[in-house]
């Protein structure tokens, strides 16, 4: 290569000699530096149809799913989705724990079932009454056969705290 040719080349591009007619391009040559010959075009078309490889999967992420875009451009949409997921789980948990797993009514009072035995000692006979703090049931002590009254406090933290004081 002569000195004037070297000056014309960019400092970023390697020096590649021009291909001769019918010869394959040199290693490192690109499509821009190696013009196709007339004989090479039909061969390339035949190779595409007979031995075509399946298209390789894209190695890049969908631009809409890139974390940086989610945290910048789609920030409000991302937070809305996070809130939907969070509150959906919270509602499901609340439904599961709602009304003490089916043991309480809508007023947080225990649903009394006559004939039920508590602590393998007290057999519930009937509901005697309800009040603001809870309800009272009549039961029979199985150890000595005596009748007892059992006060059941509502299943709310404020009522339980007040009942401990009284």
């Amino acid at each position: 290569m002569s000195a004037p040719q070297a000056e014309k080349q960019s400092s970023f591009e390697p020096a590649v000699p021009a291909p001769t007619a019918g010869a394959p391009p040199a290693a490192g040559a690109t499509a821009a530096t190696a013009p196709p010959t007339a004989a090479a075009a039909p061969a390339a078309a035949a190779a595409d149809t007979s031995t075509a490889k399946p298209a390789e999967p894209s190695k890049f992420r969908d631009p809409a799913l890139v974390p940086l875009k989610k945290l910048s451009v789609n920030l409000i949409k991302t937070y809305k989705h996070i809130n939907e997921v969070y509150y959906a789980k919270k509602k499901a948990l609340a439904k599961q724990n709602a009304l003490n797993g089916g043991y309480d009514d809508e007023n947080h009072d225990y649903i009394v079932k006559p004939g039920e035995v508590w602590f393998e000692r007290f057999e519930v006979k009937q509901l005697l009454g309800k009040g603001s703090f809870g309800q009272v049931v009549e039961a029979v002590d199985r150890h000595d056969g005596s009748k007892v009254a059992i006060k059941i406090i509502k299943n709310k933290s404020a009522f339980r705290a007040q009942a401990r004081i009284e």
Side-chain angles (χ1 to χ4, degrees):
M1 191 174 330
S2 67
Q5 285 179 343
E7 288 175 10
K8 289 180 184 178
Q9 269 189 333
S10 167
S11 61
F12 297 103
E13 296 180 296
V16 179
T20 59
T30 63
T33 58
T37 61
D48 285 343
T49 58
S50 62
T51 60
K53 291 183 180 178
E56 291 200 22
S58 175
K59 295 181 182 180
F60 299 104
R61 292 183 181 177
D62 181 12
L65 301 176
V66 176
L68 184 60
K69 187 165 185 174
K70 281 186 166 184
L71 292 173
S72 58
V73 177
N74 298 334
L75 185 64
I76 293 174
K77 189 186 299 183
T78 301
Y79 275 116
K80 283 182 180 179
H81 175 70
I82 290 169
N83 284 341
E84 288 171 3
V85 170
Y86 172 77
Y87 286 112
K89 287 181 182 178
K90 192 171 181 177
K91 284 180 185 177
L93 183 62
K95 279 185 177 180
Q96 182 181 5
N97 293 333
L99 306 176
N100 195 19
Y103 290 104
D104 293 348
D105 64 9
E106 62 278 353
N107 295 321
H108 305 284
D109 284 320
Y110 181 75
I111 300 171
V112 177
K113 299 175 187 100
E116 189 173 24
V117 178
W118 295 341
F119 304 110
E120 297 178 8
R121 182 173 179 177
F122 301 103
E123 184 178 344
V124 176
K125 292 297 181 186
Q126 66 179 347
L127 177 67
L128 293 177
K130 288 186 174 188
S132 60
F133 271 84
Q135 51 198 346
V136 178
V137 295
E138 177 187 347
V140 175
D141 186 346
R142 291 180 151 189
H143 286 228
D144 60 9
S146 63
K147 286 186 176 182
V148 294
I150 301 173
K151 184 174 185 179
I152 306 169
I153 305 301
K154 287 187 184 239
N155 190 14
K156 296 282 277 183
S157 59
F159 291 109
R160 286 193 303 272
Q162 186 62 33
R164 285 188 191 104
I165 295 169
E166 291 182 9

